[in-house]
Amino acid sequence: MNGKVAKEDLDSRIFDTLNIILLVICTVIIVVPLWNVIISSFSSGKALAEGGFIFWSPEFSLENYRAVFNDSSIWQAFFISVSKTTIGVVTHVFFCAMVGYGLSKKYIRGRKLYVAMGVITMFFSGGMIPTYLLIKSLGLLNSFWVYIIPALFSFYDVVILMNFFRNVPDSLEESAKIDGAGDWHIFLKIFIPLSMPAMATIALFNGVGQWNDFMTTKLYITDQSLYPLQMMLYEIIVQSQTQSMQNIGGSAVIETTTKGVQLATIVITTLPIVLIYPVLQRYFISGMMLGAVKE
Amino acid sequence: MKEFVIDYRRQWEIQSMIIPGIIFMIIFCYIPIYGLTIAFKNYTVIDTLSSAPWVGLENFRIIMSDKYFWDAVVNTLGISFLKLGIGFVIPIILAIMIYELNSGRFKKFVQTISYLPHFLSWIVLGGMLITWFSTTGLFNQLLLSLGVISQPQNILLDAGKYWWIAVLSDIWKEAGWGTILYLAIMSKIDPTYYEAAKIDGASRLRQIWNITLPNMKSIISLNLILTVSGLLGSNLDQTLVLMNSQNRDKAEVINSYVYRMGMSQGDFSYATAVGLGVSIVSVILLVTANKITSKLNDNQSVL
């Protein structure tokens, strides 16, 4: 009997050790490339041209960042990114919460039809070209509002909020009604403050989506003054790709300068996400549960 | 009818919250769905949706004999099935490995690190990949120092390797994120199952096989259905940033083809027809996957 337990213990310990080793390898595979990008972005053009380093750059320099920040278009792009993200998130969350609150009331007229219409949009869409033609006919091409208006609504988010509102006890609403409060008043003064966790989750997901989105710009914007960071980075990447392809064996100096600029722009573009990541992480796990596990 | 009006009047406040959402859906979802009719028309820039002449299935007939379209189909299927085959299993294994960890701190650390790549945009990751794979970059440096290769080589310019770059970079980005849902489900498994199994002398792998996996069956099926139905429609951001003149033949997917035909060449009707064809196949895939997994789940439909 004792021998058997000891053997199991040994098996279990081997399992644990292997498990930890494999997971350490996994984290190394994620961390090392990211670290390499950061370290490269702080490298001089000469170090980048020679390459040959993984963990530590032979020659540190801020020249890449200086080059990026001296370019006024990066400030413009940063401003566009920040404003489209903040305005987009606030309006999106408010709009979805408003509709979700309305639909969370079982007694309303037409509820079945409304929900059916919403569910259909989750599975069918017109696709790229019909949507483009719509945006064009609405006059939203080359307008800042193309970042905000088409992104106002998502039925997924409405469903999540609807489920959340339904869990708020009815008695709160009833007593407010007795005091003479209307639906809008109850929604704004009672339900919104109570639903902060759910709304924060949606806000954070939506915010990351807005910050990372570049297809909207690629499809609907040609005016460079409306480019967000992602689109600027995309342009730099495409530019350096064609350059390095034309210059195979040619002038290495040009290639490394754009490479340095590219790396610095990558870091700047990602920095805000990494900064809010700790806040984000606290919320998203409970948020995922909210949307996915309904029991 | 009268009752209907009275109800709406009494509920005007709550209806005023819903109606804007309905109007939004009609404009931004249903009008584009109606716009799909241009797939059956010959739409040119001077036309409006209604003035363009009907051409029936002409656009679909051209698609059938379009070599570039079929190249894109082959690439889409190849990349998607590799992503499905490898990328679907890895998060499950990873989640089980994380779940089996005893140390709370290390667990949290692994989770934090593995979620992080999900938050990078494809543009950012594309830029990173280009740096890593450049002749002086990380990838070549590692292979050189390990003695695997003797000459640095930029594999992004090697069309033959593109599928693997697309698949593996996607797994690198999303595998950790994919564990969240599985971990959430596993945290709900009754611990007494494991205690009972331990008393019976079941090894750790046996416990995983006989307790953990069966408990995740329905969520795995659901995930599989959603992944399969999206098989044909993904990869656009990734393709746009990683495609270059050297690897184009292996990199073009249906979505990027729709983008090129529609947005760059202005052939709206043709591009819409391609998109519509893809949506129809996707719905068929969704229904089929649902049927198959419901068979596996004792005839209970997951959707």
Side-chain angles (χ1 to χ4, degrees):
Chain A
M1 184 68 201
N2 265 338
K4 198 178 160 201
V5 171
K7 188 180 165 293
E8 272 159 32
D9 260 16
L10 186 67
D11 278 354
S12 196
R13 209 166 296 160
I14 292 170
F15 179 94
D16 280 332
T17 318
L18 270 177
N19 193 14
I20 290 173
I21 291 172
L22 286 174
L23 282 172
V24 168
I25 293 173
C26 287
T27 46
V28 167
I29 290 173
I30 295 173
V31 171
V32 170
L34 292 176
W35 174 250
N36 181 263
V37 166
I38 298 170
I39 239 24
S40 304
S41 76
F42 285 104
S43 298
S44 67
K46 189 166 145 277
L48 281 176
E50 285 163 1
F53 60 91
I54 294 171
F55 299 106
W56 203 248
S57 167
E59 208 178 294
F60 277 93
S61 136
L62 289 173
E63 63 182 280
N64 301 324
Y65 288 90
R66 215 168 284 139
V68 173
F69 285 126
N70 275 337
D71 183 354
S72 66
S73 59
I74 191 105
W75 296 101
Q76 174 73 15
F78 195 85
F79 174 73
I80 293 286
S81 277
V82 170
S83 35
K84 92 182 177 99
T85 304
T86 45
I87 298 173
V89 166
V90 172
T91 50
H92 174 88
V93 173
F94 183 80
F95 197 70
C96 290
M98 179 179 82
V99 180
Y101 178 73
L103 289 177
S104 73
K105 303 290 162 228
K106 283 244 161 74
Y107 54 81
I108 54 160
R109 271 267 172 191
R111 184 171 179 279
K112 267 199 181 137
L113 175 72
Y114 299 151
V115 172
M117 280 181 74
V119 170
I120 288 172
T121 66
M122 291 164 87
F123 293 99
F124 297 94
S125 76
M128 192 187 295
I129 308 298
T131 310
Y132 173 82
L133 293 175
L134 171 77
I135 298 288
K136 192 177 161 201
S137 65
L138 289 174
L140 285 172
L141 291 187
N142 275 325
S143 148
F144 176 78
W145 298 106
V146 81
Y147 295 127
I148 310 298
I149 296 171
L152 262 180
F153 187 79
S154 137
F155 198 71
Y156 286 92
D157 292 352
V158 169
V159 170
I160 291 174
L161 287 163
M162 192 167 82
N163 285 325
F164 195 89
F165 289 135
R166 221 179 260 156
N167 291 332
V168 177
D170 286 338
S171 54
L172 271 177
E173 189 188 341
E174 278 156 21
S175 61
K177 280 215 163 131
I178 291 167
D179 291 342
D183 289 315
W184 272 102
H185 188 89
I186 296 170
F187 168 61
L188 293 172
K189 292 280 154 66
I190 298 175
F191 278 74
I192 285 205
L194 280 174
S195 313
M196 274 308 175
M199 301 211 313
T201 311
I202 288 170
L204 287 166
F205 277 108
N206 189 257
V208 172
Q210 268 282 9
W211 186 267
N212 280 345
D213 166 59
F214 104 112
M215 271 322 286
T216 310
T217 321
K218 182 106 172 100
L219 287 167
Y220 309 125
I221 303 278
T222 47
D223 179 355
Q224 298 217 355
S225 66
L226 287 171
Y227 278 7
L229 281 174
Q230 302 286 345
M231 189 64 189
M232 251 194 72
L233 179 59
Y234 176 77
E235 297 266 280
I236 294 173
I237 290 171
V238 171
Q239 194 191 340
S240 76
Q241 281 274 78
T242 34
Q243 236 170 40
S244 69
M245 238 159 268
Q246 284 161 352
N247 292 344
I248 292 175
S251 82
V253 187
I254 299 175
E255 200 195 326
T256 48
T257 330
T258 40
K259 193 173 171 185
V261 168
Q262 190 176 311
L263 284 162
T265 315
I266 286 174
V267 173
I268 294 164
T269 307
T270 318
L271 203 62
I273 294 253
V274 175
L275 287 182
I276 61 158
Y277 183 62
V279 188
L280 206 80
Q281 215 202 349
R282 192 154 15 109
Y283 279 110
F284 65 52
I285 295 179
S286 57
M288 291 282 287
M289 303 280 289
L290 210 67
V293 193
K294 277 176 237 128
E295 272 173 311
Chain B
M1 188 63 205
K2 203 175 160 201
E3 188 193 342
F4 186 78
V5 175
I6 291 172
D7 259 2
Y8 263 88
R9 197 170 287 163
R10 209 184 46 212
Q11 296 176 350
W12 71 269
E13 233 185 316
I14 204 102
Q15 293 284 354
S16 73
M17 296 178 177
I18 302 169
I19 302 296
I22 304 301
I23 294 171
F24 181 96
M25 286 198 284
I26 291 170
I27 295 176
F28 285 96
C29 307
Y30 287 94
I31 290 182
I33 290 176
Y34 169 72
L36 281 171
T37 51
I38 67 166
F40 306 96
K41 293 184 168 192
N42 185 10
Y43 182 95
T44 54
V45 191
I46 49 163
D47 282 314
T48 63
L49 210 55
S50 47
S51 77
W54 291 94
V55 293
L57 294 175
E58 185 58 32
N59 288 315
F60 293 92
R61 218 165 289 141
I62 306 173
I63 291 174
M64 289 300 149
S65 57
D66 178 353
K67 177 190 169 294
Y68 296 105
F69 169 73
W70 290 109
D71 281 352
V73 169
V74 170
N75 290 332
T76 310
L77 290 177
I79 293 168
S80 298
F81 277 106
L82 284 175
K83 274 186 188 169
L84 182 68
I86 310 169
F88 188 77
V89 186
I90 286 184
I92 299 174
I93 299 173
L94 200 60
I96 292 174
M97 285 166 65
I98 294 173
Y99 179 64
E100 293 286 336
L101 277 182
N102 298 320
S103 144
R105 245 201 220 151
F106 184 56
K107 198 172 190 165
K108 213 162 197 180
F109 176 73
V110 174
Q111 283 182 285
T112 306
I113 295 296
S114 69
Y115 300 157
L116 190 60
H118 169 80
F119 293 96
L120 306 175
S121 69
W122 265 115
I123 306 308
V124 163
L125 185 53
M128 289 180 174
L129 284 166
I130 288 164
T131 315
W132 295 331
F133 290 140
S134 73
T135 48
T136 53
L138 173 75
F139 184 74
N140 279 302
Q141 228 47 65
L142 273 176
L143 292 188
L144 279 174
S145 57
L146 292 173
V148 182
I149 51 168
S150 54
Q151 271 297 321
Q153 180 211 3
N154 189 339
I155 62 165
L156 268 175
L157 301 179
D158 182 348
K161 300 207 170 71
Y162 178 81
W163 283 13
W164 289 105
I165 295 173
V167 171
L168 294 175
S169 62
D170 186 67
I171 292 173
W172 186 86
K173 187 174 186 294
E174 303 296 343
W177 184 252
T179 63
I180 291 186
L181 209 57
Y182 297 128
L183 282 167
I185 299 297
M186 282 190 268
S187 69
K188 294 200 166 168
I189 301 175
D190 187 346
T192 53
Y193 290 152
Y194 292 105
E195 279 152 29
K198 246 177 248 162
I199 293 167
D200 288 346
S203 70
R204 296 278 287 276
L205 285 172
R206 254 250 94 82
Q207 291 174 28
I208 291 169
W209 190 253
N210 286 341
I211 303 171
T212 316
L213 279 174
N215 271 295
M216 303 202 308
K217 210 162 85 177
S218 67
I219 196 80
I220 290 175
S221 315
L222 179 66
N223 236 350
L224 191 65
I225 291 171
L226 294 176
T227 317
V228 168
S229 67
L231 268 188
L232 299 180
S234 48
N235 312 336
L236 182 56
D237 285 26
Q238 185 189 25
T239 308
L240 283 181
V241 67
L242 291 180
M243 188 158 62
N244 56 49
S245 57
Q246 308 286 313
N247 64 18
R248 180 173 296 274
D249 289 346
K250 288 285 174 186
E252 185 95 271
V253 290
I254 299 171
N255 262 347
S256 63
Y257 187 61
V258 171
Y259 176 81
R260 198 150 61 86
M261 293 310 284
M263 304 306 294
S264 311
Q265 305 189 11
D267 200 340
F268 288 146
S269 282
Y270 188 74
T272 308
V274 174
L276 179 60
V278 170
S279 317
I280 292 169
V281 176
S282 296
V283 172
I284 296 172
L285 282 177
L286 177 77
V287 175
T288 322
N290 187 35
K291 276 232 171 84
I292 293 172
T293 46
S294 72
K295 279 242 164 70
L296 296 176
N297 275 305
D298 317 319
N299 285 324
Q300 280 188 322
S301 172
V302 182
L303 278 188

